[in-house]
Amino acid sequence: MFLGIISDTHDNLDRVRSAVTLFNRLGVDQVVHCGDIIAQFVLSEFVLLKAPLTIVLGNCDGDKEALRKRAAELKIKINDPPWEFTSGGKKLFVTHKPAEPIPDCDYYIYGHTHRCRYEPGKPLIINPGEACGWLSGRGTVAVLNTESDEVKFFDL
């Protein structure tokens, strides 16, 4: 599976559009958003995404009920953190804020810090950085190949 990973979009619509275009071009199978979308209007930018999207809410997400309502209208899944799922026999743990201790899983995926992180091992740790680019000036996302454990970071 090719998994697109995005986090901390913080209402930056241009970067969300760039991420959707990139994920579609790369042909990812699924996309996870590690939280801090902020406002419900941002969700509409994800409708052109060709892969299913699941969002884990973050600490800065505003009106969570409005986000859930809009997401349901757009057929986007939203979960409270953490969200755990299995794909291809591998366990993925997705959250917004870093968890202590890191849970037993194959892939530990989080956001919140606005800094890219890749740490091989068990679990393989991934933070896609900030898509918005507000803090660093650099908007980034990541793609994980769960068959090869390869992770690539992309600038938006």
Side-chain angles (χ1 to χ4, degrees):
M1 169 178 69
F2 286 101
L3 180 68
I5 306 167
I6 186 169
S7 189
D8 297 280
T9 48
H10 288 271
D11 287 348
N12 189 327
L13 299 180
D14 289 337
R15 296 287 171 92
V16 171
R17 291 177 192 122
S18 294
V20 167
T21 299
L22 174 70
F23 289 145
N24 286 344
R25 183 174 54 80
L26 295 174
V28 299
D29 300 303
Q30 184 174 353
V31 175
V32 295
H33 191 302
C34 300
D36 283 0
I37 296 155
I38 308 301
Q40 65 179 345
F41 66 83
V42 177
L43 296 175
S44 297
E45 298 301 322
F46 287 101
V47 297
L48 296 178
L49 189 62
K50 295 177 183 173
L53 170 65
T54 301
I55 296 167
V56 173
L57 292 170
N59 63 300
C60 290
D61 285 319
D63 185 339
K64 290 179 175 56
E65 288 312 309
L67 281 167
R68 289 180 196 284
K69 181 180 177 190
R70 184 67 180 138
E73 293 168 359
L74 298 172
K75 298 180 177 40
I76 295 172
K77 296 176 188 169
I78 287 191
N79 295 303
D80 289 318
W83 175 49
E84 299 177 56
F85 70 104
T86 302
S87 178
K90 295 185 178 180
K91 184 177 176 184
L92 294 93
F93 184 97
V94 182
T95 191
H96 180 65
K97 288 185 176 180
E100 290 292 333
I102 292 176
D104 180 34
C105 56
D106 294 294
Y107 303 107
Y108 175 71
I109 302 166
Y110 71 100
H112 187 62
T113 66
H114 292 244
R115 290 187 301 264
C116 294
R117 181 178 177 193
Y118 166 73
E119 191 174 313
K122 179 141 176 23
L124 190 151
I125 299 171
I126 306 164
N127 184 324
E130 61 170 350
C132 65
W134 297 136
L135 295 181
S136 68
R138 179 180 177 217
T140 57
V141 296
V143 174
L144 165 66
N145 180 337
T146 61
E147 292 178 20
S148 68
D149 289 345
E150 180 181 19
V151 176
K152 290 185 180 179
F153 292 90
F154 296 88
D155 288 296
L156 299 174

